[in-house]
Amino acid sequence: MTPRTAIQIAAGVRAGTLKAADVLEEHLARIDARESDVHAFNLVMTDQARAAAAAIDAAVAAGNDPGPLAGVPVALKDNMCTHGIPTTCSSKMLQGWKPPYDATAVIRLAAAGAVAVGKTNLDEFAMGSSTENSAFGPTRNPHDLSRVPGGSSGGSAAAVAAGFASVSLGSDTGGSIRQPAALCGVVGVKPTYGYVSRYGLVAFASSLDQIGPFTHTVEDSALLLDVIGGHDILDSTSIPARQPSLRDAIKQDVTGLRVGRITDLPEGADPDVAERLEAAFDALRAAGATIVDVQVPAFSYGLTAYYLIAPAEASSNLARYDGVRYGLRVNAADTNAMYGATRVAGFGEEVQRRIMLGTYALSAGYYDAYYGKALKVRRLIADDFDRAYQHADVLLTPTSPTVAFPFGSKSDNPFAMYLCDVYTIPTNLAGHPAMSVPFGTGAEGLPVGVQILAGTLGEPQMFRAAAALERAMGVSK
Ligand code: GLN
């Protein structure tokens, strides 16, 4: 069965031909049937969701319009603040903590009529690429329960792939929306830095973090970004200018669009993934785009620079979890001992590793050599991309070098895990948008995603290319 798209659900609910309550029950029934296997959620908000759906139906009955996402069931990554509802970041550290406010993206979804069904599992504090770093146990890939869904937004990707929610939100610091989208066979978008407000998103690396959607179709992602995007007075890094509607942008085909192939892209994609990328170039050429060769020499330094910059910011951001202000406290002889005992008990291994990496990179005597140098590399990467975008409107790469991998196959080797994001990380460092579009299957019949990259605020062109790939795959619209 092809699931209804968010656009179809909202249209039906607004017209009164579909009840938000019935749509919700269909999704709750799928959760009942498969959530114990998949474990996409840290919390299913059944009662709140039923109340919200009933309110939407009542509004329609009263002749009011609940908005462009009327009755659309949405899942939220559990690092987005929800007022009075536990927000855990899949960490023991936030045990018992309930945020006193909603994230801006959460408020905008609700204001557009969406129905929040639950908070989804993630790698602890969004650090990881498999969701195996959750303190509450991993999420499983709905396509093959012996494999990871990707990460860190693995729960959000799996929730959409399994039909538990029509759409979901994730966060992407180095690939955490795009990589799980690729591994779960759904669309995932990391917008331009500042496109979506980060207010109420628990910070990992503030200069890289962005919220974005997971959906079944490109148009649903366009709709979600049209709803959650835009300036927010509560996030000084959100972009003030109004952005053009992405739903309008995809009405235009790709005739004349210049699609770049990065000739010096780091090697390492599996042959099945590389084959799908070639097929994507062919599909765009057949749809009227021009393929051009470009170089992005600093692309290959992205991973190294990221593993200095992101941990440095994380070590600073995570200093706030001190046993005093949030969640867990482990009592000890004096205050310092209490800080230490709390942080050892509350943070998992990967989070502790990042804090140590970042603290080291920022420490006196090493700051210039590590953090300072990484910032210079970051500048080079952005400059190289900007030069490439003089010749191309969008670039195409694999999203992930591999299809979904079995549990445990990378968890003992942090570097192998970090390499999952070799193609996604450079765009976060540049602040540029990128998205993953499902483009067929590879080994074992598992989903493969193709990544489309664009320059700052290049979302309209990026979405046009995405829509063309989707049409080439025969996804109905
Ligand atoms: N996998 C990368 C990391 O572990 C990216 C995570 C993310 O985008 N949140 O840092």
Side-chain angles (χ1 to χ4, degrees):
M1 173 208 78
T2 339
R4 275 192 214 95
T5 66
I7 285 173
Q8 288 163 345
I9 293 172
V13 169
R14 288 167 114 173
T17 54
L18 197 59
K19 289 263 176 282
D22 294 341
V23 173
L24 174 65
E25 293 308 323
E26 283 171 22
H27 288 81
L28 291 176
R30 285 196 285 267
I31 292 174
D32 261 359
R34 279 195 85 197
E35 168 62 2
S36 57
D37 286 336
V38 175
H39 187 218
F41 291 101
N42 289 339
L43 178 72
V44 179
M45 294 153 49
T46 311
D47 294 342
Q48 290 100 323
R50 284 193 171 131
I56 298 291
D57 288 332
V60 174
N64 299 322
D65 180 4
L69 290 174
V72 174
V74 55
L76 304 167
K77 187 175 183 179
D78 201 15
N79 62 352
M80 290 173 206
C81 288
T82 41
H83 189 180
I85 296 166
T87 297
T88 69
C89 295
S90 289
S91 179
K92 289 185 206 146
M93 187 55 103
L94 286 173
Q95 202 172 69
W97 183 62
K98 292 181 183 163
Y101 59 89
D102 280 317
T104 296
V106 171
I107 291 176
R108 289 187 182 178
L109 285 180
V115 172
V117 291
K119 305 291 296 281
T120 60
N121 196 16
L122 61 146
D123 285 298
E124 185 177 4
F125 283 104
M127 297 173 189
S129 305
S130 67
T131 318
E132 291 169 290
N133 296 338
S134 166
F136 309 132
T139 296
R140 294 181 195 85
N141 192 314
H143 294 274
D144 177 346
L145 296 174
S146 72
R147 290 172 190 259
V148 304
S152 65
S153 314
S156 288
V160 172
F164 297 164
S166 170
V167 298
S168 64
L169 292 188
S171 65
D172 190 312
T173 305
S176 279
I177 293 174
R178 291 160 285 161
Q179 185 255 12
L183 271 45
C184 289
V186 296
V187 178
V189 189
K190 199 262 335 156
T192 299
Y193 184 79
Y195 200 101
V196 178
S197 168
R198 289 181 297 111
Y199 182 73
L201 171 68
V202 178
F204 164 8
S206 312
S207 77
L208 303 163
D209 301 339
Q210 265 297 285
I211 290 175
F214 289 93
T215 62
H216 286 288
T217 64
V218 172
E219 192 176 14
D220 277 357
S221 272
L223 168 63
L224 274 173
L225 280 180
D226 285 350
V227 167
I228 65 171
H231 186 241
D232 177 13
I233 194 133
L234 299 171
D235 174 3
S236 62
T237 64
S238 68
I239 298 167
R242 238 190 121 72
Q243 301 310 318
S245 156
L246 297 174
R247 281 190 76 190
D248 285 346
I250 56 174
K251 291 178 186 147
Q252 203 184 339
D253 68 15
V254 291
T255 310
L257 194 76
R258 299 168 306 165
V259 177
R261 174 198 297 276
I262 304 178
T263 53
D264 49 0
L265 195 69
E267 284 175 16
D270 281 352
D272 53 336
V273 171
E275 212 171 276
R276 294 315 299 159
L277 178 66
E278 287 315 308
F281 278 116
D282 291 346
L284 288 179
R285 190 185 293 110
T290 315
I291 313 299
V292 297
D293 283 351
V294 298
Q295 289 185 328
V296 188
F299 195 109
S300 54
Y301 302 120
L303 198 71
T304 318
Y306 173 87
Y307 275 98
L308 291 164
I309 293 168
E313 295 188 25
S315 81
S316 164
N317 274 324
L318 272 60
R320 62 174 63 105
Y321 306 109
D322 56 4
V324 178
R325 286 171 288 185
Y326 303 89
L328 186 75
R329 171 184 301 192
V330 177
N331 285 314
D334 57 38
T335 311
N336 266 333
M338 184 278 287
Y339 291 156
T342 300
R343 288 166 68 82
V344 166
F347 290 137
E349 195 179 83
E350 183 62 26
V351 174
Q352 292 190 24
R353 181 181 293 120
R354 304 287 177 105
I355 292 172
M356 287 190 280
L357 277 172
T359 306
Y360 185 81
L362 289 175
S363 55
Y366 297 105
Y367 185 98
D368 288 342
Y370 292 106
Y371 183 66
K373 201 164 185 182
L375 289 183
K376 289 179 185 158
V377 173
R378 182 177 192 173
R379 178 76 255 160
L380 285 180
I381 291 171
D383 288 350
D384 278 357
F385 271 122
D386 286 343
R387 267 190 291 275
Y389 288 123
Q390 290 171 7
H391 307 285
D393 302 302
V394 298
L395 309 175
L396 235 55
T397 73
T399 305
S400 154
T402 69
V403 295
F405 45 93
F407 286 101
S409 60
K410 297 182 200 281
S411 42
D412 292 337
N413 180 350
F415 190 63
M417 192 68 86
Y418 297 172
L419 275 172
C420 294
D421 301 306
V422 63
Y423 299 126
T424 50
I425 278 175
T427 46
N428 296 75
L429 291 168
H432 293 162
M435 67 192 285
S436 182
V437 184
F439 204 66
T441 53
E444 325 272 343
L446 290 162
V448 173
V450 164
Q451 183 179 223
I452 308 166
L453 300 79
T456 301
L457 293 176
E459 274 84 352
Q461 296 88 300
M462 178 174 86
F463 268 81
R464 279 168 61 200
L469 286 182
E470 187 179 56
R471 278 192 296 273
M473 286 305 296
V475 176
S476 61
K477 278 248 288 313

